[in-house]
Amino acid sequence: MSAIDIFERSSDPAARSDDKQGPPCRFCGATLRATFVDLGMSPLCESYLTRAQLNRMEPFYPLHVYVCGECFLVQLEAYVSAEHIFSEYAYFSSYSTSWVEHARLYTEQMIDRLCLGAESRVVELASNDGYLLQHFVARGIPSLGVEPAANIADVANRQGVPTLVRFFGEQLARELAAEGKAADLIVANNVLAQVPDLNDFVRGMKILLARRGVVTIEFPHLMRTMQGLQFDQVYHEHFSYFSSTTAERVLAAHGLAVFDVEELPTHGGSLRIFARHAEDTSRPVEESVRELRSREAAEGLTRLDGYSHFAEAVKETKRALLSFLIEAKNAKKTVVGYGAPGKGNTLLNYCGIRSDLLDYTVDRNPYKQGKFLPGTHIPIDHPDRIEETRPDYVLILPWNLKNEIKQQLAFIREWGGQFVLPIPRLAVE
Ligand SMILES: [Zn+2]
């Protein structure tokens, strides 16, 4: 959707008569009326700016998250096309050593659990640079990656992981199934949130899955996002936010049944769900599924009013962070940032924090150094700058890596420096 489309809809008389009227639910089609959280207008979180770009116009899009009153899918309207997000996606999974290890352990577990071998087939959707499939390939298990970003798929192909440069959905699933390439294991890690046509994607999984096959899907767990007030997990590239209950419902609508679920520490708390064909009774539904379902119900995730407190709690977090920064500035203290992750951009834009409150931030990624954060225009420097400028406070933006960062920057204690964590509630450590 373009900015023009947004303008046209808001000037439509029907939209004016009910200003809460939102788009249709991505899953069930019901009109979205309930706001989960409205983080205002924000630029795309990965659009880091060069100095020359600071003087140009910058597109901002709404970060208005709805919760569907019918199916409870928490979602953002797709303002950004999937082509835009995926076609030149710059993130190479293999650059993260902990993520590669996470993938290796997963492949070992799945080979044992599903008895995968030379007769099996594994298909990974959004397979990135082959960081995960390489482990199946090394064990002689036929594997196929589907990756829409051509530059990343090239890397995978060169390293011996066969990868198609395509978007996944019903069309591609039919083509693969017709070629006799049904999958015994379909892997979908951190992709479901980014799929604009959710039903088409899940329908494709149903078609591609072998009769006794298994699908595993990983995604950040909405329950943990809510408990930890992790509103900075919201960005334009994440269209949908799932609980186990809504994920189960979406899969069930397409003939897939969840039979096991694991809770993982990745991304501030993620889920790995295991699904099979609804008609395949060879794998009974584990207790883990029922247990998590009832825990989510107890947390209020199966009632619309269970979602209503989040927006207010987020505003409190914003006020606490701003109060701290203003008081620090009044007391002539210096505050700098650590990291330039996508989540940091959501936080800083929502809170209106610019270089008036945060002098600069640093990042280890050389691609980001010398650039500026989108929207807030805070400069990104080399991490050495912290030792040179000896700030009183370091605001940690990738809070999920807090322990690692505190260790790396332990030297700030020498001059009495302290760490600031913005989420769930401001903490100075
Ligand atoms: Zn819905």
Side-chain angles (χ1 to χ4, degrees):
M1 169 162 300
S2 69
I4 292 165
D5 295 325
I6 298 163
F7 177 77
E8 283 173 356
R9 200 187 50 237
S10 60
S11 60
D12 167 51
R16 272 204 306 272
S17 66
D18 176 4
D19 61 3
K20 280 191 174 168
Q21 180 118 339
C25 171
R26 173 166 300 118
F27 168 55
C28 78
T31 300
L32 299 173
R33 295 173 198 282
T35 293
F36 176 62
V37 67
D38 185 353
L39 301 176
M41 301 289 286
S42 225
L44 300 184
C45 73
E46 298 289 337
S47 331
Y48 298 92
L49 304 171
T50 60
R51 186 174 291 281
Q53 287 171 317
L54 293 180
N55 294 328
R56 297 194 199 144
M57 286 207 296
E58 213 178 337
F60 278 57
Y61 303 90
L63 273 182
H64 186 158
V65 188
Y66 292 93
V67 53
C68 177
E70 299 294 322
C71 71
F72 306 120
L73 179 65
V74 170
Q75 57 198 287
L76 193 63
E77 200 171 340
Y79 295 103
V80 192
S81 72
E83 283 77 8
H84 177 95
I85 296 171
F86 290 109
S87 299
E88 275 200 55
Y89 200 49
Y91 185 72
F92 284 78
S93 296
S94 294
Y95 286 176
S96 163
T97 44
S98 60
W99 191 244
V100 170
E101 178 61 8
H102 174 78
R104 193 189 62 78
L105 290 172
Y106 162 84
T107 54
E108 296 294 322
Q109 186 192 336
M110 295 313 288
I111 289 168
D112 289 348
R113 185 164 177 178
L114 306 182
C115 305
L116 298 173
E119 304 298 307
S120 316
R121 180 181 311 278
V122 179
V123 177
E124 186 182 12
L125 311 179
S127 54
N128 209 277
D129 57 5
Y131 73 102
L132 185 143
L133 286 179
Q134 63 179 344
H135 300 293
F136 288 116
V137 170
R139 296 278 295 265
I141 299 166
S143 303
L144 177 67
V146 179
E147 172 52 60
N151 60 330
I152 295 179
D154 275 355
V155 174
N157 276 314
R158 277 203 302 272
Q159 289 173 355
V161 178
T163 303
L164 289 177
V165 184
R166 290 280 297 270
F167 279 98
F168 182 76
E170 183 176 356
Q171 173 66 31
L172 178 55
R174 287 204 184 282
E175 290 172 30
L176 292 173
E179 291 169 25
K181 291 183 175 163
D184 300 287
L185 172 62
I186 297 177
V187 187
N189 285 346
N190 296 302
V191 59
L192 205 60
Q194 306 185 20
V195 171
D197 191 343
L198 182 60
N199 287 313
D200 180 63
F201 190 87
V202 178
R203 209 180 293 127
M205 294 201 289
K206 172 73 179 176
I207 292 164
L208 183 61
L209 191 64
R211 206 166 57 86
R212 290 282 172 92
V214 168
V215 183
T216 73
I217 306 174
E218 285 182 32
F219 51 86
H221 188 190
L222 178 65
M223 186 174 84
R224 295 287 301 277
T225 305
M226 290 173 70
Q227 287 169 340
L229 289 177
Q230 300 163 1
F231 65 90
D232 57 355
Q233 301 267 25
V234 171
Y235 33 90
H236 294 105
E237 289 84 345
H238 279 183
F239 304 141
S240 310
Y241 303 80
F242 296 93
S243 64
S244 177
T245 312
T246 50
E248 232 187 298
R249 187 175 299 187
V250 170
L251 293 173
H254 296 284
L256 296 168
V258 174
F259 66 92
D260 198 5
V261 59
E262 288 175 8
E263 291 174 76
L264 309 170
T266 44
H267 298 290
S270 294
L271 289 183
R272 176 185 291 153
I273 59 176
F274 297 74
R276 51 155 166 82
H277 286 293
E279 56 275 21
D280 171 14
T281 51
S282 66
R283 297 178 199 280
V285 177
E286 306 277 341
E287 184 51 33
S288 60
V289 179
R290 281 182 286 267
E291 192 273 327
L292 186 54
R293 207 187 286 153
S294 64
R295 203 145 34 97
E296 289 188 343
E299 285 277 324
L301 297 188
T302 51
R303 304 187 316 268
L304 192 55
D305 66 1
Y307 293 84
S308 58
H309 65 283
F310 187 75
E312 195 48 47
V314 166
K315 289 179 198 162
E316 283 170 29
T317 293
K318 169 178 178 169
R319 290 193 295 266
L321 177 58
L322 285 175
S323 297
F324 170 82
L325 292 173
I326 291 167
E327 277 172 34
K329 279 286 167 188
N330 284 340
K332 306 277 182 262
K333 304 281 189 190
T334 47
V335 191
V336 306
Y338 186 93
K343 59 164 66 76
N345 288 325
T346 294
L347 176 92
L348 297 171
N349 275 290
Y350 168 63
C351 295
I353 296 166
R354 297 172 169 268
S355 50
D356 49 355
L357 294 175
L358 195 68
D359 299 356
Y360 62 85
T361 191
V362 299
D363 201 281
R364 292 168 82 183
N365 183 342
Y367 165 81
K368 295 179 183 174
Q369 292 164 8
K371 293 208 169 75
F372 296 81
L373 297 182
T376 61
H377 296 188
I378 293 170
I380 310 168
D381 283 317
H382 188 281
D384 286 351
R385 178 114 190 254
I386 291 182
E387 216 160 356
E388 290 158 23
T389 62
R390 300 163 68 97
D392 297 298
Y393 298 105
V394 175
L395 174 67
I396 299 180
L397 295 169
W399 43 259
N400 51 318
L401 307 175
K402 161 183 126 166
N403 293 334
E404 199 177 316
I405 292 166
K406 282 174 76 177
Q407 255 175 1
Q408 281 168 22
L409 298 188
F411 58 82
I412 73 166
R413 307 286 188 201
E414 288 166 23
W415 61 82
Q418 289 182 289
F419 297 100
V420 181
L421 276 309
I423 279 175
R425 279 280 183 272
L426 184 93
V428 179
E429 301 179 350

